[in-house]
Amino acid sequence: MRILIINGPNINLVGSRETHIYGNMDYNKICDLLYERAKDLGVSLDIVQSNIEGEIINFVHNARDKYDGIIINPAAYTHYSIAIYDALKAVLVPAVEVHLSNIHAREDFRKRSVTAGACIGQISGFGYYGYILAMQALIHKVQDGLK
Ligand code: DQA
């Protein structure tokens, strides 16, 4: 089971950015923790991050045939990127959308996700633990033949 985590703009600043919303844990520390958990779950994990929409689209394209699942936090692009939605639809790799914060309990403009419609599900509001839940969800889905 090979999983790619794709993080969007400003996620690299988690740990210092709006800590009352995103927590104090440093982005690199979160990645280390996720690599550890992936090992326990028997998952081969890669994590990438970009602040640029086109790079995120390229990450999605390149996941084709290389990964069994994508976990994506498109960050602000969640709310308006039809291009990322189209990329996720195009590659046919099952994807789970993750948000550290509960986007449904924040400003109105965050409540709408354009990209979630191209995913098998969305996990929002559990901090970094959401990525672990997403790994478990993907393992379950893939083992279950995506039923
Ligand atoms: C976020 C929520 C988005 O609305 C915001 O633009 C982010 C982070 C989250 O993980 O909670 O940058 O995706």
Side-chain angles (χ1 to χ4, degrees):
M1 179 85 190
R2 301 152 302 170
I3 292 179
L4 176 66
I5 295 181
I6 304 173
N7 284 311
N10 304 305
I11 300 298
N12 55 312
L13 297 185
V14 166
S16 63
R17 162 196 187 202
E18 296 183 281
T19 52
H20 58 294
I21 296 172
Y22 299 113
N24 293 306
M25 200 187 289
D26 186 65
Y27 178 69
N28 291 324
K29 172 96 182 115
I30 291 176
C31 292
D32 288 348
L33 219 138
L34 294 175
Y35 284 125
E36 278 301 306
R37 285 296 292 148
K39 227 184 283 168
D40 298 342
L41 292 167
V43 163
S44 159
L45 178 69
D46 291 312
I47 306 177
V48 291
Q49 188 274 332
S50 177
N51 297 317
I52 300 164
E53 186 179 24
E55 281 184 1
I56 294 168
I57 292 164
N58 287 339
F59 289 146
V60 173
H61 290 182
N62 293 334
R64 195 184 224 161
D65 301 325
K66 287 205 197 93
Y67 294 94
D68 305 300
I70 294 172
I71 296 168
I72 186 161
N73 182 347
Y77 289 132
T78 303
H79 313 298
Y80 64 93
S81 178
I82 295 166
I84 293 176
Y85 170 92
D86 283 345
L88 289 165
K89 280 284 198 189
V91 298
L92 300 173
V93 180
V96 177
E97 181 168 299
V98 167
H99 297 286
L100 296 159
S101 65
N102 180 357
I103 58 170
H104 304 286
R106 298 183 63 194
E107 301 98 320
D108 281 345
F109 68 84
R110 290 187 206 276
K111 291 180 181 162
R112 172 162 167 266
S113 170
V114 166
T115 46
C119 297
I120 55 177
Q122 184 197 65
I123 295 165
S124 178
F126 297 97
Y128 75 84
Y129 196 70
Y131 294 98
I132 296 168
L133 293 172
M135 281 195 271
Q136 289 170 330
L138 276 172
I139 291 166
H140 178 75
K141 273 285 182 188
V142 170
Q143 282 173 354
D144 210 26
L146 285 175
K147 270 177 233 133

